[in-house]
Amino acid sequence: MPELPEVETTRRGIQPHIRKKVVRNIILRRKNLRWPITPAISTDLPGETIQSVSRRGKYLLLGTSKGTLIIHLGMSGSLRIVEAGRQAAKHDHVDIVLANGKVLRYTDPRRFGCILWETEPIESHPLLASLGPEPLGDDFDTDYLFKKSRTRSAAIKTFIMDSRVVVGVGNIYANEALFLAGISPKRSAGKISKPRYAKLVLCITQVLQQAIDVGGTTLRDFTDSNGEPGYFAQSLQVYGRKGKPCHVCQSTLKEIRQGQRSTVYCPKCQR
DNA sequence: ACTTCGACCTGTTGGC
DNA sequence: TGCCAACAGGTCGAAG
C-alpha cells in the first residue's frame, strides 16, 4: 500500500470527508499496532474538530485544537471512509467515528503502522524531528543531496531510502528513480558526481509526482470497499521485473539484495 | 557520525 | 495439489 504517493493519495481522499468535522467517538478494537495506540485518544478526541489533514513524509497528521493524531500506514495499512455501523473486518483496528455519520476506518493486517496522539508541538515529535526534506518540496535539490552525500559510503539506493536524507522514497520508487537516472544502485553515494545528482533529483521528483498524478484517478473511487490500486504497475520499469528484458536495451534485469530489500536494475543502462 | 541488522506482524507466492 | 520457507509497499532502535 504505502509509498509516499499512496499516502498522499490517501490524504487527498480522506480530507474532504473529515476536515472541519467533529469527532463523536473512537472505537479501538486492538490496543497495539507497532506501538500502543495512545489510549488518551478515546477521551481527548471526542468533541474535537479535525482542523487539518496534512502529511510529513509518510506520516499523516490530523490536527485538532488539543493535539495532533499521527498515523502511519506501515507496510499494509489503509484508511477508508465508511458509513457508521458498517461491519468491521478482521484487521479493522480503529474507527474514528464522526458526528456526521461517517467513519474514518484504519485497517492494517501486519500492524507495522502506528496511531499516536501528540499534544506537544508536533515538529519536535521524536518520529518527525530528524526527518529529511520533502522530495517534492523546495528544500530538496541538487546542492542539498550532493552535499549530504559527500560523507557517505553507503550504496546510493540505501542513501536515498534513508528518511533522514529525504523522506518518502520507498523501495519501489528508489528502484525506479535509479533506473531513470541511469545510476547503479550499488554505487557509493559519496562517489557520485554533482551532475548525476542533478539528474537523480529530477528523476525522484518526477517519478513520485507522476505516481501521485495517477493516484489521483484512484482518488475518485477511494471510498469503495475494494481498493485495489495497481495503477502504477503499468509504468514500472524495473521493480518486480527481475529476469525480464529492460524496456530500453532489452538486457535481462538483475536482482540483488541491499539491506534486506530487493533491488532490481539494468546492468547495462545503470552504471 | 555512519552502517548493519534484528525486530515487529500477517498474507501471499514460489519451489519442491 | 499441498506444504513450508521466503518474501512483501516501512522504519525504528540497538549494537558495532
Side-chain angles (χ1 to χ4, degrees), chain A residues 178-236:
Chain A
L178 287 170
F179 173 80
L180 295 174
I183 299 172
S184 165
K186 294 187 281 190
R187 193 163 289 281
S188 172
K191 293 181 177 170
I192 295 172
S193 71
K194 199 163 183 179
R196 300 195 84 196
Y197 268 108
K199 176 134 196 212
L200 181 57
V201 165
L202 206 63
C203 292
I204 290 173
T205 18
Q206 218 170 283
V207 78
L208 290 175
Q209 188 58 58
Q210 254 174 356
I212 291 174
D213 292 345
V214 180
T217 56
T218 331
L219 210 57
R220 267 169 239 146
D221 45 69
F222 183 80
T223 54
D224 282 8
S225 49
N226 52 327
E228 12 68 77
Y231 52 80
F232 49 70
Q234 279 181 318
S235 45
L236 292 179

Side-chain angles (χ1 to χ4, degrees), chain A residues 13-26 44-53 62-67 69 81-82 96-104 117:
Chain A
I14 63 176
Q15 172 163 258
H17 297 280
I18 67 172
R19 200 168 77 97
K20 297 185 180 163
K21 302 294 191 289
V22 175
V23 176
R24 178 184 286 157
N25 64 295
I26 306 293
D44 279 11
L45 267 178
E48 285 298 299
T49 300
I50 297 170
Q51 293 168 335
S52 59
V53 183
L62 309 192
T64 76
S65 66
K66 270 194 199 164
L69 193 67
I81 303 292
V82 301
I96 296 172
V97 185
L98 303 174
N100 67 1
K102 301 275 184 190
V103 173
L104 180 65
W117 175 241

Side-chain angles (χ1 to χ4, degrees), chain A residues 12-213:
Chain A
R12 294 180 187 185
I14 63 176
Q15 172 163 258
H17 297 280
I18 67 172
R19 200 168 77 97
K20 297 185 180 163
K21 302 294 191 289
V22 175
V23 176
R24 178 184 286 157
N25 64 295
I26 306 293
I27 300 174
L28 287 177
R29 300 190 185 80
R30 165 176 278 281
K31 284 184 183 161
N32 299 278
L33 295 170
R34 175 175 189 170
W35 299 293
I37 298 167
T38 316
I41 64 172
S42 298
T43 52
D44 279 11
L45 267 178
E48 285 298 299
T49 300
I50 297 170
Q51 293 168 335
S52 59
V53 183
S54 57
R55 179 184 61 72
R56 180 72 178 95
K58 293 174 188 166
Y59 293 94
L60 286 166
L61 307 172
L62 309 192
T64 76
S65 66
K66 270 194 199 164
T68 307
L69 193 67
I70 304 173
I71 303 176
H72 197 286
L73 302 175
M75 289 270 253
S76 57
S78 62
L79 282 168
R80 293 239 139 70
I81 303 292
V82 301
E83 299 299 322
R86 186 191 175 109
Q87 183 73 40
K90 192 172 177 185
H91 302 294
D92 295 342
H93 306 308
V94 179
D95 280 0
I96 296 172
V97 185
L98 303 174
N100 67 1
K102 301 275 184 190
V103 173
L104 180 65
R105 177 164 284 175
Y106 180 91
T107 308
D108 185 4
R110 291 179 74 180
R111 308 203 299 277
F112 282 2
C114 66
I115 298 183
L116 301 170
W117 175 241
E118 179 56 55
T119 53
E120 298 296 311
I122 196 67
E123 318 83 60
S124 51
H125 191 283
L127 289 175
L128 308 180
S130 52
L131 291 180
E134 289 289 329
L136 300 176
D138 293 341
D139 299 342
F140 182 64
D141 59 20
T142 308
D143 284 342
Y144 166 78
L145 202 58
F146 181 69
K147 194 173 173 195
K148 192 95 179 164
S149 69
R150 291 308 89 184
T151 57
R152 306 291 287 269
S153 62
I156 184 65
K157 180 179 180 238
T158 316
F159 179 66
I160 59 173
M161 287 183 71
D162 184 340
S163 64
R164 290 161 307 184
V165 174
V166 55
V167 296
V169 182
N171 198 34
I172 293 179
Y173 294 109
N175 278 300
E176 294 300 307
L178 287 170
F179 173 80
L180 295 174
I183 299 172
S184 165
K186 294 187 281 190
R187 193 163 289 281
S188 172
K191 293 181 177 170
I192 295 172
S193 71
K194 199 163 183 179
R196 300 195 84 196
Y197 268 108
K199 176 134 196 212
L200 181 57
V201 165
L202 206 63
C203 292
I204 290 173
T205 18
Q206 218 170 283
V207 78
L208 290 175
Q209 188 58 58
Q210 254 174 356
I212 291 174
D213 292 345

